[in-house]
């Protein structure tokens, strides 16, 4: 299948408190996000981010809270996206127009990108939308980058 026929995906990453959910909430209100699939990776006992994202008929939100996408639930990513796509099609919602994955602030985004590009089911349906987005808390950026190696990994993959 030609790359242009694949559904685009974007990975939204950044350290804790960098504003990922705030940006995502603004994005899902845009007309270009109509029929988007939003995957939010929660890490912790109580997931909140998925409740902070505006939901409506125009896009679907999938919460993945069983662990960090980069290390413990990479296989779950494919199953969750596949189930969401099948569910949308069964309900008459048609195919999704794009997918955004918001990682937990503790996730290394490289294994997530690798999964999206090498998993058989995902790789035959999705393509990187020419960008991986990393948000940085400008008030704490140098301190965070110096103190947390994963924040360096976020910045390294950013387009």
């Amino acid at each position: 299948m030609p790359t242009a026929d694949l559904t685009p995906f974007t990975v939204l990453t950044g350290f804790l408190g960098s504003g990922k959910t705030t940006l995502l909430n603004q994005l899902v209100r845009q007309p270009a996000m109509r029929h988007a699939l939003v995957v939010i990776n929660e890490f912790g006992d109580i997931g909140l981010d998925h409740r902070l994202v505006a939901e409506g008929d125009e896009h679907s939100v999938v919460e993945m809270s069983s662990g960090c996408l980069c290390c413990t639930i990479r296989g779950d990513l494919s199953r969750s996206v596949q189930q969401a796509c099948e569910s949308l099609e069964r309900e008459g919602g048609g195919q999704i127009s794009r997918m955004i994955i918001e990682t937990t602030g503790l996730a290394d985004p490289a294994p997530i990108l690798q999964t999206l590009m090498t998993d058989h089911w995902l790789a035959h349906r999705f393509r990187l939308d020419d960008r991986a987005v990393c948000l940085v808390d400008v008030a704490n950026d140098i301190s965070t980058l110096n103190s947390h190696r994963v924040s360096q990994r976020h910045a390294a993959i950013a387009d």
Side-chain angles (χ1 to χ4, degrees):
M1 177 180 289
T3 305
D5 294 338
L6 301 177
T7 303
F9 74 83
T10 300
V11 173
L12 177 60
T13 191
F15 199 67
L16 301 169
S18 62
K20 297 179 299 295
T21 302
T22 301
L23 175 63
L24 186 58
N25 214 2
Q26 294 299 314
L27 290 174
V28 298
R29 297 171 194 267
Q30 303 300 314
M33 292 295 292
R34 186 177 170 100
H35 303 294
L37 174 63
V38 178
V39 179
I40 300 175
N41 181 210
E42 299 274 15
F43 188 77
D45 292 336
I46 301 173
L48 297 174
D49 284 357
H50 71 285
R51 294 180 185 195
L52 299 175
V53 175
E55 289 196 60
D57 294 336
E58 298 180 351
H59 64 274
S60 297
V61 177
V62 174
E63 177 200 12
M64 297 186 66
S65 59
S66 55
C68 176
L69 275 175
C70 69
C71 48
T72 60
I73 60 171
R74 287 170 59 185
D76 289 347
L77 176 61
S78 180
R79 284 187 296 278
S80 294
V81 171
Q82 186 173 358
Q83 289 171 356
C85 291
E86 290 171 355
S87 175
L88 285 171
E89 289 176 13
R90 269 194 316 271
E91 294 170 7
Q95 292 188 324
I96 63 169
S97 61
R98 64 173 41 261
M99 177 172 62
I100 293 185
I101 298 176
E102 178 195 358
T103 70
T104 173
L106 301 173
D108 179 349
I112 298 165
L113 288 166
Q114 180 184 14
T115 298
L116 288 162
M117 292 186 276
T118 61
D119 176 89
H120 181 76
W121 192 88
L122 292 169
H124 284 86
R125 288 162 181 79
F126 296 93
R127 65 174 168 78
L128 182 61
D129 189 24
D130 299 324
R131 67 185 137 241
V133 178
C134 173
L135 274 71
V136 177
D137 176 357
V138 294
N140 298 308
D141 63 340
I142 298 300
S143 173
T144 301
L145 286 167
N146 288 334
S147 302
H148 302 282
R149 185 158 175 77
V150 72
S151 69
Q152 296 168 12
R153 293 178 187 263
H154 296 158
I157 63 102
D159 296 309

